Amino acid sequence: MIKKVTVNNLQNLKNSGEKFSVLTAYDFSTAKYIDEAGIDVILIGDSLAMVALGYETTHAVGVEEMKIFTKAVAKGVKRAFVVTDMPFLSYHTDIPSAVKNCGEMIKLGANGVKIEGFSDYIVEVVKRLTASGIPVMAHLGFTPQFLNTLGGYKIQGKTQEAADKILSEAKQLEKAGAFSLVLEMVPQESAKYITENLSIPTISCGAGKYCDAQVLVSDDVFGKYSEFTPKFARKYGDMKALIFDCAKKFNEDVKNGNFPSENEIF
Ligand code: KIV
């Protein structure tokens, strides 16, 4: 029997100084393969707005779309801890709708949710979700849903004062019950300082090597999404070329009569 990763396992990894891995997935078979490869946390990131749905930013994706992707990914995963990224405005208006929208993802097979940003209201949301049995992954630093208020894709936490602000917010989110924290586009030294002063695991998304875990968008790792690749992403394959090549060969085979063969007919 495969043992499912839990929030306790992730906390124990931080406590013992062992790193864990986080990758995004949006469909059943990708989730299945990356789970089998040993990835510890699978995130149905709202990055799917761009990489799977072709929108320009994450703002366009909604709860109903995230539900479809959550259902597909959860079905493919046996071991990893599955987290759904809650989309823009799905937890911002009021606590009851935040609990309801996040709870829907748990009903569909997610093990936790991720929410972005910090305010007194967000702290209250984290408290109420945790009290409802919904584990929360917090997300500070660059938070894509706040792109318009942050004024662009800007590195956050560059000065000691700014790092202290992130740390103070992170501590309040931790106290409210968050089980982990994504730090996005934060300088490595600031992320180290925050990681060392926080009890819960930090997950780097372009925040350097001292965080307790690393997350990347799977389409960047596979070399599939080619519209834009962030500096911090590492490409381990060339799925774009593979897809192009397979489609090109199939197209040729159909047109020159090489497909189907005798073995491919009834
Ligand atoms: O949407 C996403 O994929 C994310 C991760 C990259 C942290 O938020």
Side-chain angles (χ1 to χ4, degrees):
M1 243 273 283
I2 296 169
K3 269 188 94 181
K4 186 90 178 160
V5 176
T6 66
V7 286
N8 300 340
N9 298 140
L10 301 175
Q11 185 62 54
N12 289 340
L13 288 171
K14 162 137 190 161
N15 298 347
S16 62
E18 286 173 73
K19 307 264 184 194
F20 61 89
S21 54
V22 187
L23 258 188
T24 65
Y26 316 113
D27 67 277
F28 171 78
S29 53
T30 306
K32 187 168 186 291
Y33 304 148
I34 69 175
D35 186 43
E36 288 169 359
I39 296 298
D40 302 298
V41 179
I42 296 182
L43 174 70
I44 302 116
D46 63 354
S47 50
L48 69 81
M50 286 89 90
V51 302
L53 298 173
Y55 294 129
E56 281 206 358
T57 68
T58 60
H59 294 118
V61 75
V63 172
E64 293 311 313
E65 288 154 312
M66 293 306 290
K67 280 192 197 170
I68 295 168
F69 291 99
T70 295
K71 217 188 301 184
V73 168
K75 280 188 181 154
V77 177
K78 289 198 167 67
R79 177 187 169 271
F81 190 83
V82 175
V83 177
T84 298
D85 210 359
M86 295 309 296
F88 183 57
L89 293 190
S90 66
Y91 51 94
H92 307 76
T93 52
D94 58 273
I95 305 249
S97 68
V99 174
K100 184 177 175 297
N101 289 334
C102 294
E104 294 287 340
M105 304 305 169
I106 305 294
K107 284 188 180 188
L108 293 171
N111 306 119
V113 297
K114 178 165 84 59
I115 66 174
E116 292 184 10
F118 175 84
S119 65
D120 290 346
Y121 168 76
I122 292 288
V123 170
E124 196 51 36
V125 172
V126 174
K127 273 189 201 157
R128 295 288 286 273
L129 291 175
T130 309
S132 309
I134 305 172
V136 180
M137 179 182 281
H139 184 157
L140 295 175
F142 177 72
T143 42
Q145 291 175 10
F146 293 80
L147 175 68
N148 294 320
T149 39
L150 291 173
Y153 292 87
K154 292 187 176 147
I155 297 164
Q156 306 292 312
K158 284 205 267 191
T159 60
Q160 182 62 46
E161 196 187 352
D164 277 326
K165 182 169 179 286
I166 296 177
L167 176 60
S168 151
E169 295 173 353
K171 281 192 165 166
Q172 292 175 67
L173 294 166
E174 172 180 290
K175 194 165 168 232
F179 75 93
S180 62
L181 170 73
V182 171
L183 286 172
E184 183 162 349
M185 280 168 60
V186 171
Q188 177 163 270
E189 285 307 311
S190 301
K192 180 174 189 277
Y193 169 68
I194 295 161
T195 299
E196 287 170 353
N197 286 285
L198 216 57
S199 300
I200 54 171
T202 59
I203 303 167
S204 163
C205 181
K209 64 179 178 184
Y210 297 110
C211 288
D212 304 298
Q214 296 288 330
V215 60
L216 285 177
V217 167
S218 55
D219 286 50
D220 291 335
V221 170
F222 304 153
K224 185 172 177 227
Y225 185 70
S226 61
E227 305 305 303
F228 170 74
T229 307
K231 176 181 191 267
F232 56 82
R234 186 180 292 178
K235 187 174 154 185
Y236 287 84
D238 198 350
M239 247 178 97
K240 180 187 171 190
L242 184 69
I243 292 170
F244 179 81
D245 202 42
C246 293
K248 195 164 183 288
K249 285 181 181 150
F250 174 66
N251 183 43
E252 282 162 11
D253 281 350
V254 169
K255 291 180 183 167
N256 64 25
N258 277 337
F259 181 87
S261 69
E262 282 305 305
N263 295 331
E264 290 156 331
I265 54 166
F266 296 107

